[in-house]
Amino acid sequence: MNGGIEIKGLDAVVAKNRVMLLKLPGAKAKALARIAHLTVANAQSNAPISPTKAQYEQHISAKRAQKTANRTGKSARVRFKSKQTFNPGQLQASIRSRHSGSSVEVFVPSNSPAGKYADFIHNGTYKLGIGSRAKAAAGHDVGPKFLTRAVPRSKISRILRDTIAKIVKG
């Protein structure tokens, strides 16, 4: 998913703070780096995640137990053991950012472990899986458009001001 998303409108925010930015070399770059870091953290929090082996086994065991109970009319305990390899978190770990001038770009490189399916996960329509539902239950806003929703629009101006204030105070 080369390209990712680009946070637009930073020029207007930077223009409002131009005088201070001209006086403070590096302030703009530091502020953009903070915005990029926060956006990546938010995107990682919003990104869907594959189930752990334990989550998957528990889910399948419950489904099989229900099937058995429906078929026999008696409750059943089924213990499913998977031989599959599980590696949750690859999409989260693949999220990157770069900043230059007055823009921040958050993206998933196409050559990353999650690069092949990141576009579908960001733009597609799907039901959340076991791991993502567990992550959502823990309070994360998981699902499609996870990169777009990660942009801290309400915090951008404050981050610029705070970064400049820290540099001024020394």
Side-chain angles (χ1 to χ4, degrees):
M1 183 173 162
N2 278 344
I5 61 161
E6 185 173 339
I7 303 170
K8 295 186 179 185
L10 291 177
D11 286 329
V13 176
V14 170
K16 288 180 185 177
N17 298 291
R18 184 169 300 298
V19 174
M20 269 223 211
L21 290 173
L22 291 173
K23 292 180 184 175
L24 304 167
K28 181 175 160 185
K30 286 182 182 183
L32 290 176
R34 287 183 63 207
I35 291 166
H37 177 74
L38 181 60
T39 305
V40 167
N42 289 345
Q44 289 171 336
S45 177
N46 295 345
I49 189 168
S50 299
T52 63
K53 184 174 182 175
Q55 287 172 327
Y56 181 74
E57 288 176 349
Q58 182 181 15
H59 176 73
I60 297 299
S61 295
K63 284 182 98 172
R64 288 187 178 176
Q66 185 63 49
K67 248 186 188 176
T68 302
N70 290 345
R71 193 176 60 243
T72 64
K74 298 177 182 175
S75 65
R77 294 185 109 194
V78 176
R79 179 86 169 114
F80 174 76
K81 283 294 220 178
S82 177
K83 294 181 180 168
Q84 183 177 341
T85 303
F86 290 82
N87 197 357
Q90 290 210 357
L91 178 58
Q92 290 172 218
S94 297
I95 298 170
R96 300 283 181 266
S97 70
R98 60 180 159 238
H99 56 88
S100 63
S102 59
S103 69
V104 173
E105 184 180 13
V106 178
F107 60 98
V108 176
S110 59
N111 64 348
S112 70
K116 290 183 180 179
Y117 82 110
D119 185 51
F120 171 74
I121 294 298
H122 179 72
N123 295 312
T125 303
Y126 52 87
K127 291 183 179 179
L128 293 180
I130 306 160
S132 296
R133 288 193 308 264
K135 188 175 178 181
H140 300 278
D141 187 15
V142 180
K145 303 294 182 196
F146 65 95
L147 291 173
T148 307
R149 291 182 291 110
V151 178
R153 285 179 173 77
S154 63
K155 297 180 182 177
I156 291 173
S157 197
R158 192 191 83 231
I159 289 171
L160 278 168
R161 281 193 310 271
D162 290 353
T163 303
I164 291 166
K166 282 181 184 177
I167 292 172
V168 168
K169 288 179 183 177

